[in-house]
Amino acid sequence: MKRNILIAVVCCVVLSLAANAGTLSGSVKGAQGQSVVYLQAMQAAPAAAPTQAYKIDQKGMKFVPDLLVVPVGATVEFDNDDAAAHNVYWSSISGNKKLGKNLGTFPSGQKGTFKFDHPGVVQLLCNVHPEMSAYVIVTPSPYYAQTDQILGDYFIQNVPDGKYQAFVWHNGKTTSEPVTVAGNTKIDFALGK
């Protein structure tokens, strides 16, 4: 009997959360190429640990993709699919040099992994090939999207109603502003020159 009541309560909570969730959409203006839009709740509830696999290849003397967005707690696999050895390191996460890391040098066919436990912007570099760079954007919540490269449009689905700080990252720069999501909400962002 108690178990049935518990199941009923859980179902009601899940249904009420689904009923109070919508889509945040819009566009990022004044930027050429891809941007990232992500949300941080003003009153953050703990997010579930990510289960999705995330991967960056080192192929053709490049990091592929050169922009990866992951939630906090995600593990990223770094594969070396080139004939040459590659290194993966970052000097900081959003300027915090204490969070810098050097994963070492991997010969062809080898890989390394890292779990990102801190939100922020990570610029990946290879100390063997200084022309190689990429970004990992570690978001504080599962509510994020990469924009369309041409129009700058974005869609973040299943966002619970509430107040958030919205962040827009583009080419190494991040701006933010407060937003309120209520059902399906449209917000456009304008980046300065």
Side-chain angles (χ1 to χ4, degrees):
M1 180 74 169
K2 287 183 181 180
R3 182 178 171 172
N4 289 342
I5 292 172
L6 179 61
I7 290 171
V9 169
V10 169
C11 288
C12 287
V13 169
V14 169
L15 289 173
S16 69
L17 289 175
N20 294 323
T23 298
L24 177 64
S25 64
S27 63
V28 176
K29 305 289 185 194
Q32 291 182 340
Q34 266 190 323
S35 299
V36 175
V37 178
Y38 60 94
L39 301 176
Q40 180 174 6
M42 296 294 193
Q43 295 179 347
T51 57
Q52 180 179 340
Y54 298 94
K55 182 176 171 181
I56 292 183
D57 285 331
Q58 296 167 8
K59 191 174 193 175
M61 304 301 273
K62 296 179 182 178
F63 289 105
V64 180
D66 63 356
L67 175 60
L68 180 67
V69 186
V70 302
V72 165
T75 297
V76 177
E77 182 177 286
F78 298 93
D79 292 355
N80 181 359
D81 291 325
D82 267 340
H86 287 296
N87 172 267
V88 177
Y89 80 97
W90 52 94
S91 61
S92 67
I93 296 180
S94 289
N96 184 343
K97 292 185 183 267
K98 291 181 181 179
L99 299 177
K101 183 77 173 169
N102 188 333
L103 298 183
T105 301
F106 313 129
S108 180
Q110 299 278 325
K111 63 184 170 187
T113 60
F114 187 80
K115 182 178 179 188
F116 288 95
D117 288 325
H118 299 278
V121 176
V122 181
Q123 184 178 17
L124 300 178
L125 299 165
C126 172
N127 66 14
V128 179
H129 305 98
E131 69 277 11
M132 291 176 61
S133 71
Y135 285 95
V136 176
I137 310 301
V138 185
T139 66
S141 78
Y143 309 114
Y144 60 86
Q146 288 180 243
T147 63
D148 170 87
Q149 282 196 337
I150 297 170
L151 300 175
D153 293 340
Y154 72 92
F155 300 91
I156 305 174
Q157 297 182 338
N158 300 316
V159 179
D161 289 355
K163 295 182 180 206
Y164 296 87
Q165 190 71 20
F167 294 84
V168 179
W169 176 93
H170 182 76
N171 282 347
K173 295 180 182 175
T174 304
T175 60
S176 70
E177 66 181 73
V179 298
T180 299
V181 175
N184 292 332
T185 304
K186 184 173 179 10
I187 299 175
D188 294 330
F189 298 96
L191 299 182
K193 303 281 181 196

